[in-house]
Amino acid sequence: RNIVYNLDKADYYKYPLIIKDVRKVYPGRGGRAEKVATKNFSLRIKKGEMFGLLGPNGAGKTTMISMLTGLYPPTKGNAWVAGFDIKHQLEAVQLQIGYCPQFDVLWEDMTVKEHLVFYSRIKGIPPHKEEAMVTQAIEDVKLTRFTDFKTKALSGGMKRRLSVAISLVSDPKIIYLDEPSTGLDPENRRQLWDIFAALKNKRAI
C-alpha cells in the first residue's frame, strides 16, 4: 500500500496497472443487507511482472477484473492502466488491455486468422497495422502452422492459445487472464505457461 501511495503523478504512466482504494458494494435487495465484494483494494503491477490473484469463491476476484475492464464501475477508489483511469478515461483504458476469459469465445467455422482479424478490428487497429499484429499474435502463441485451420479442427489446447492470441492483437500494456489453464491436460498447461513466461517481457500479465 505504501508503494501505491508514494507515487508521483508522472509515475502513473510508467506502470501497466495501479489500483488505489478500489471498493465495490452491491446494494441489498429484498430486505437483505448490502454486499461488500471488494474492500479498499490497492496494488501496483510493474511491466514484465506476472501476478496471480488468488482467493476462494466469493472473494471478489471476478468483480475486480470486471471493474478494471470497464464492465462495472467501482463504488469508490480508482485504477490507472498505463496512466489512464478507469472512471473517466475508460475508452483509452480498454485500448491498453487484453483479456482472455475463462471460457473460449470462438466460432467453429472461422479460422485462426479470421478470429484475430475480427477482434483486431473491434479493437480499432489501423488497417495498415492489422496484418503485422495478427501475424505476430499467431507467432507468439505458436499457432503459425494452423493459421488457416477452422476452430472446429483445433484441439482444446490450441483453442486456448487462440484465446490468448486474441488478447494480444492490440499489443496491450497488460493482459488479464481468467483461469487460463482450466480444463487443460498437464502437457498443454505447461506449454501455455511457457508462452506466458515469454510474453511477459513486453507487458504485465
Side-chain angles (χ1 to χ4, degrees), residues 65 98-107 112 115-116 119 137-138 140-143 146 150-169 175-196 199 205:
I65 290 179
Y99 178 57
C100 178
Q102 184 174 353
F103 302 103
D104 300 318
V105 183
L106 307 172
W107 290 269
V112 168
H115 274 90
L116 293 170
Y119 279 105
I138 291 173
D140 284 342
V141 299
K142 300 176 173 54
L143 282 178
F146 305 95
K150 291 185 177 180
T151 303
K152 60 186 177 185
L154 302 178
S155 68
M158 290 176 184
K159 290 178 181 178
R160 207 69 193 123
R161 281 190 268 162
L162 175 54
S163 290
V164 174
I166 289 168
S167 74
L168 295 172
V169 289
I175 299 175
Y176 302 115
L177 306 168
D178 192 354
E179 300 189 31
S181 58
T182 297
L184 297 183
D185 60 68
E187 182 179 354
N188 275 306
R189 189 179 297 120
R190 181 69 263 169
Q191 289 176 351
L192 193 61
W193 285 109
D194 287 344
I195 289 170
F196 293 152
L199 292 176
I205 296 179

Side-chain angles (χ1 to χ4, degrees), residues 23-95:
R23 179 182 179 87
K24 182 64 177 179
V25 180
Y26 294 105
R29 294 182 179 177
R32 297 179 181 177
E34 63 181 18
K35 168 68 175 178
V36 179
T38 307
K39 183 180 179 181
N40 301 339
F41 189 83
S42 297
L43 181 71
R44 179 192 67 169
I45 302 293
K46 299 177 182 178
K47 179 181 177 182
E49 186 172 0
M50 190 185 297
F51 177 84
L53 185 61
L54 306 176
N57 290 339
K61 303 183 300 297
T62 299
T63 297
M64 177 57 66
I65 290 179
S66 296
M67 288 188 289
L68 295 176
T69 55
L71 185 60
Y72 306 132
T75 304
K76 290 183 179 179
N78 207 344
W80 292 260
V81 176
F84 301 103
D85 79 84
I86 63 173
K87 279 190 168 182
H88 307 105
Q89 299 168 298
L90 186 57
E91 188 172 325
V93 166
Q94 291 175 335
L95 292 175

